[in-house]
Amino acid sequence: MFRTIEPEAMGGFGRDQSLIMATATEWVSLSPFVPSRHLKIKRSEMHDPVSYAAAAAREIDVAVRGEIAFHGLPEPDSVHLLPPYPGLGYGIFLKGHFTSWLDFRTTRLTGGGSSGGRTPYGIRIVFPEPVTGPICLGYACHFGLGLFQPGCR
């Protein structure tokens, strides 16, 4: 009747396998990460672009590590914000076309749900050991936000 399929058969880098179910040490945003809590950026850091960028990176690191611990994944070696694509901005190439993180719907139209803001971020996570996906983190991760795929940019 029903056939049992092992996760290893579904996830991988082959033609009929799903990347989001692969096993890898490096995971990169496929959809934007939206923090589930507000970033704790000091007022003094908000007025200087360099200080603000450093504070945002620090707070995203804390938020992502908290989500990773909540989901029972191993402590990552590093968490980084993805840099912008030259001349295009922040986002990802989907089916050969650049899609900005801002083009994703990052809030629910109905119902409750709390988020730490509406700013979407691209993240790269490096684990010390291979981790099997899928990895979904942050606000509305059960609706497709914060989805990661293995590999590098």
Side-chain angles (χ1 to χ4, degrees):
M1 283 198 214
F2 292 103
R3 195 174 87 193
T4 303
I5 299 174
E6 297 299 320
E8 296 81 27
M10 295 183 69
F13 299 94
R15 181 170 175 248
D16 293 328
Q17 294 178 312
S18 172
L19 276 178
I20 64 170
M21 296 186 72
T23 300
T25 56
E26 183 175 321
W27 291 84
V28 179
S29 292
L30 181 59
S31 64
F33 171 80
V34 177
S36 55
R37 66 171 183 82
H38 289 282
L39 303 181
K40 296 177 182 175
I41 298 176
K42 298 174 187 171
R43 189 174 303 215
S44 61
E45 296 170 323
M46 290 184 174
H47 301 294
D48 175 33
V50 174
S51 296
Y52 182 83
R58 175 192 71 227
E59 290 300 311
I60 290 297
D61 182 273
V62 169
V64 170
R65 287 177 186 273
E67 287 277 337
I68 286 171
F70 176 77
H71 289 288
L73 296 170
E75 177 75 18
D77 282 342
S78 62
V79 175
H80 299 283
L81 291 172
L82 292 178
Y85 282 97
L88 296 174
Y90 295 93
I92 188 170
F93 279 92
L94 297 172
K95 294 189 176 183
H97 298 284
F98 181 77
T99 303
S100 170
W101 295 132
L102 298 173
D103 292 336
F104 286 81
R105 179 175 287 169
T106 58
T107 58
R108 292 179 58 186
L109 298 178
T110 60
S114 61
S115 71
R118 296 182 181 170
T119 305
Y121 298 92
I123 309 291
R124 182 172 59 90
I125 305 169
V126 179
F127 291 100
E129 60 197 50
V131 175
T132 300
I135 296 177
C136 298
L137 306 172
Y139 170 76
C141 64
H142 54 292
F143 288 117
L145 289 180
L147 181 62
F148 289 80
Q149 68 180 355
C152 59
R153 276 179 90 166

